[in-house]
Amino acid sequence: DTEVTQTPKHLVMGMTNKKSLKCEQHMGHRAMYWYKQKAKKPPELMFVYSYEKLSINESVPSRFSPECPNSSLLNLHLHALQPEDSALYLCASSQGQGPGLSYEQYFGPGTRLTVT
Amino acid sequence: GQSLEQPSEVTAVEGAIVQINCTYQTSGFYGLSWYQQHDGGAPTFLSYNALDGLEETGRFSSFLSRSDSYGYLLLQELQMKDSASYFCALPADNQGGKLIFGQGTELSVKP
């Protein structure tokens, strides 16, 4: 199974809402990632988890809160978002975090988020 | 710092061969990856070069020259379904797990 799944596919939320994005992989990968992608742009790294511990936070605003409940699951909790946060949110995983392992990342289909 | 440059758009016809170039700047080199992303879809890993030379995977090949800080993705026997964005990417040399992506090349395959 080389699939990363994400739910929901689409999400519309107001600026005062709280919502969560979910990601799951069953490839035994030890590194998991959250990316944000705007139209016609490359994915932009937000967070990296390695062995269920937060390893990289790319100075993401605190209104985005990641969580890794176990080695297969990754959540992104959203609160008080701004309209400019509207984007495609991608989850990915790789065998490990090191440069010799992270070059091959498996991406989920993404959650298309609209903040109104 | 690290950066990658690739053309923003390439157009080709079905059945043709197209080459998407990528030049990069980096202090530590751990290899060059290529990803494909269809409109509305997720990026999909295509290939990886850590050493100089050509890697072939079916209709797609990827080439690397470390001395020239240059690589390319070669797509042969183009099909309409190859219309997509293609990104080259480098592992960050000081943050394990982080991929530095190029801005992407939008490939349009015409009939």
Side-chain angles (χ1 to χ4, degrees), chain B residues 25-88:
Chain B
Q25 285 189 312
T26 182
S27 48
F29 182 76
Y30 300 96
L32 187 69
S33 297
W34 288 92
Y35 286 80
Q36 177 193 58
Q37 186 176 25
H38 286 99
D39 203 26
T44 303
F45 172 78
L46 290 177
S47 68
Y48 170 71
N49 296 69
L51 301 175
D52 292 348
L54 193 67
E55 293 280 342
E56 297 182 63
T57 310
R59 293 188 298 113
F60 293 4
S61 303
S62 57
F63 172 82
L64 177 68
S65 169
R66 288 174 295 171
S67 60
D68 295 320
S69 297
Y70 163 74
Y72 65 72
L73 183 68
L74 191 73
L75 297 85
Q76 303 183 76
E77 300 171 21
L78 278 175
Q79 301 175 10
M80 298 294 288
K81 67 178 182 180
D82 298 328
S83 293
S85 291
Y86 293 84
F87 296 94
C88 54

Side-chain angles (χ1 to χ4, degrees), chain A residues 61-78:
Chain A
S62 59
R63 57 185 184 269
F64 295 91
S65 174
E67 178 196 19
C68 189
N70 60 51
S71 61
S72 301
L73 291 173
L74 191 64
N75 298 323
L76 186 63
H77 303 297
L78 314 173

Side-chain angles (χ1 to χ4, degrees), chain A residues 1 4 12 16 18 25 27 30-32 38 48-49 56 61 68 71 82 93 96 105 114:
Chain A
D1 182 4
V4 176
V12 179
T16 58
K18 281 187 184 181
Q25 58 91 11
M27 293 177 278
R30 307 311 303 208
M32 295 186 76
K38 293 275 200 179
V48 181
Y49 272 83
I56 296 177
C68 189
S71 61
Q82 304 295 309
S93 70
Q105 296 187 14
T114 303

Side-chain angles (χ1 to χ4, degrees), chain A residues 22-89:
Chain A
K22 297 188 183 302
C23 172
E24 190 166 7
Q25 58 91 11
H26 292 288
M27 293 177 278
H29 286 175
R30 307 311 303 208
M32 295 186 76
Y33 310 79
W34 280 115
Y35 288 87
K36 173 183 177 180
Q37 188 177 28
K38 293 275 200 179
K40 307 289 187 190
K41 295 290 186 185
E44 183 184 332
L45 183 68
M46 300 174 72
F47 303 103
V48 181
Y49 272 83
S50 178
Y51 288 88
E52 300 160 51
K53 286 187 168 38
L54 183 63
S55 173
I56 296 177
N57 176 342
E58 287 286 285
S59 303
V60 178
S62 59
R63 57 185 184 269
F64 295 91
S65 174
E67 178 196 19
C68 189
N70 60 51
S71 61
S72 301
L73 291 173
L74 191 64
N75 298 323
L76 186 63
H77 303 297
L78 314 173
H79 173 55
L81 294 192
Q82 304 295 309
E84 60 264 28
D85 296 323
S86 298
L88 180 67
Y89 287 85

